[in-house]
Amino acid sequence: RPAMGQEAAWAARLGSALGAKLDAGGDEAASALGALTRPSAVRRLAFEPAGCRVVQRALEVADARTAAALASDLRGCVFDAIKSPYANYVVQKVVRVLPAHEAAFIVQELAAAGLDLVRHEYGCRIYCRLLESSASDPGTAHLIDQVLVWSGELVRHNFAHHVMECVLECGLPHQRHQVVRAIQKDLMRNARNRNASYVIEKALAHADPEDRQILADGVLSKPADEVGELARSQYGGMIVRTLLRLPGDAPRAVPDKARRVTTQFKGQRSGRRQLADRNANACAEVPVGCGA
């Protein structure tokens, strides 16, 4: 293998030449795709800045059979590719353009990595792409089920919380319910946590109505002073505002609870802003839908 600088220079030259051919289309594009299907060509290019772009372009323009052949060159190095600032984009593209059965090797290599990649800056992106593209595929569903065993911890993680949010948007019903259960077990702590508060907002928008109501009741059943403290906190305030916009029965209970903590809000800039939001929402005759 050439030295690192030489490899980057080689990838830049080859990527430029192949990219021009792909853009030209016709026989030129076919020639470029033929070059990329040679053993190790995709693997070498994917880890370089210029090379990863041309591989992504090739996956976009190739037919299904050729795209599968290009992707197969990453077999055995998916873990390293996902951790690469360049090759992770190639893996994401593979997940987007190939049917689930052709990308099954990616799911298998993710599973072998345990929780390492779901907690990774780039690895969490791959989980999200899988959920967006093939949540109902048995392999993907099993992978997500294994991850959700640790959902109570992952909702607060800097990177894994993105996966938990994507489960709530795209996951199977039992998976969405499992994330809600994880949030509920330590609800007030999660509501004050930066990462988990985003997951709660997503749950209040995309979880099943019964689970949304459970979360709303979990907050509103707390003493008034605890709700007021939550509303004044940096991230808990977002949860209170989201509750005020929640469709269904929950918003009707919010004003009564909010009135009991109004005096605690006065003099707090964030509190005044939240009360203004509450009053505006209380005037709305038709609740805003969540789009779930």
Side-chain angles (χ1 to χ4, degrees), residues 118 120-121 124-125 127-129 131-132 154-169 194-195 198-199 202:
V118 77
H120 190 270
E121 178 181 6
C124 66
R125 302 174 184 177
Y127 279 90
C128 290
R129 300 297 87 77
L131 282 160
E132 292 162 0
L154 298 178
V155 295
R156 293 186 293 272
H157 191 272
N158 282 343
F159 302 121
H161 80 90
H162 295 295
V163 180
M164 299 299 100
E165 291 181 52
C166 206
V167 169
L168 289 163
E169 286 192 88
R194 177 181 183 271
N195 299 321
Y198 296 137
V199 181
K202 199 70 73 172

Side-chain angles (χ1 to χ4, degrees), residues 59-82:
L59 287 165
E60 290 174 352
V61 303
D63 59 39
R65 182 176 179 179
T66 303
L70 295 173
S72 68
D73 203 33
L74 294 175
R75 289 179 183 272
C77 70
V78 169
F79 182 89
D80 291 336
I82 290 174

Side-chain angles (χ1 to χ4, degrees), residues 167-168 171-180 206-208 211:
V167 169
L168 289 163
L172 301 177
H174 76 274
Q175 294 169 341
R176 296 198 300 270
H177 179 66
Q178 190 164 345
V179 174
V180 171
H206 295 283
D208 294 340
D211 283 337

Side-chain angles (χ1 to χ4, degrees), residues 22 33 36 42 52-64 66-72 74 89-95 97-98:
L22 289 170
L33 291 170
L36 287 168
V42 165
C52 79
R53 290 191 290 271
V54 76
V55 173
Q56 291 176 74
R57 177 64 178 146
L59 287 165
E60 290 174 352
V61 303
D63 59 39
T66 303
L70 295 173
S72 68
L74 294 175
Y89 290 107
V90 174
V91 179
Q92 291 184 66
K93 184 66 71 174
V94 169
V95 171
V97 303
L98 289 187

Side-chain angles (χ1 to χ4, degrees), residues 78-156:
V78 169
F79 182 89
D80 291 336
I82 290 174
K83 287 198 166 187
S84 162
Y86 310 116
N88 85 84
Y89 290 107
V90 174
V91 179
Q92 291 184 66
K93 184 66 71 174
V94 169
V95 171
R96 284 189 173 118
V97 303
L98 289 187
H101 70 276
E102 294 286 6
F105 70 95
I106 292 175
V107 172
Q108 293 162 5
E109 294 187 43
L110 277 171
L115 294 181
D116 191 7
L117 291 175
V118 77
R119 295 191 185 110
H120 190 270
E121 178 181 6
Y122 307 139
C124 66
R125 302 174 184 177
I126 310 304
Y127 279 90
C128 290
R129 300 297 87 77
L130 284 168
L131 282 160
E132 292 162 0
S133 302
S134 58
S136 60
D137 172 72
T140 300
H142 180 70
L143 175 69
I144 299 303
D145 285 343
Q146 296 305 302
V147 167
L148 290 178
V149 172
W150 304 96
S151 53
E153 167 201 336
L154 298 178
V155 295
R156 293 186 293 272

